[in-house]
Amino acid sequence: FVALGMLCTTMDEAPQVQSMRCVPRHWCTTAKVQPMKLWHDAGASGGKPGSIWIGNSLRTMYAAEGHQMPAEEFLDLNSTVYVLSDKDIDEISAQNGKGVALENGGG
């Protein structure tokens, strides 16, 4: 399972785990759009350098330390319609057996 972007908050506390959703990796493909830098802190004083990027057709956000494009692979969904296969159900069941909560349809 993978996340297709990152989750941010304006608070000092970490966001609730239930705020994030993941999809099976085999539902994804490498993003074909060119990542676009939305913001960087060049010229700001103090702290570590950082930047925010859009990296796929879903326009999900990626935050990076520094001003260079993040090294990790940007992912997109490879379809617009999904049906849970037996493999998907087996993977979800296996994760649930390891104590991963699947509350409110998330995982």
Side-chain angles (χ1 to χ4, degrees):
F1 286 86
V2 295
L4 297 176
M6 296 182 171
L7 182 64
C8 298
T9 178
T10 58
M11 314 276 253
D12 288 336
E13 296 82 32
Q16 293 184 357
V17 174
Q18 296 86 352
S19 300
M20 180 60 95
R21 299 291 186 255
C22 296
V23 297
R25 174 62 176 96
H26 66 271
W27 286 10
C28 300
T29 186
T30 300
K32 293 174 179 50
V33 299
Q34 179 67 32
M36 178 178 68
K37 189 186 302 182
L38 292 179
W39 175 87
H40 62 82
D41 65 348
S45 60
K48 294 182 179 180
S51 54
I52 297 175
W53 297 76
I54 293 292
N56 60 21
S57 66
L58 301 169
R59 302 190 57 76
T60 54
M61 185 205 78
Y62 295 81
E65 187 172 330
H67 300 145
Q68 301 300 317
M69 184 173 72
E72 61 265 4
E73 178 182 32
F74 293 99
L75 298 172
D76 253 325
L77 292 172
N78 58 24
S79 180
T80 57
V81 176
Y82 290 90
V83 177
L84 286 175
S85 67
D86 290 340
K87 178 182 175 184
D88 296 327
I89 294 168
D90 290 344
E91 287 180 12
I92 292 167
S93 296
Q95 290 297 319
N96 197 31
K98 294 178 186 173
V100 176
L102 296 178
E103 299 173 21
N104 301 323

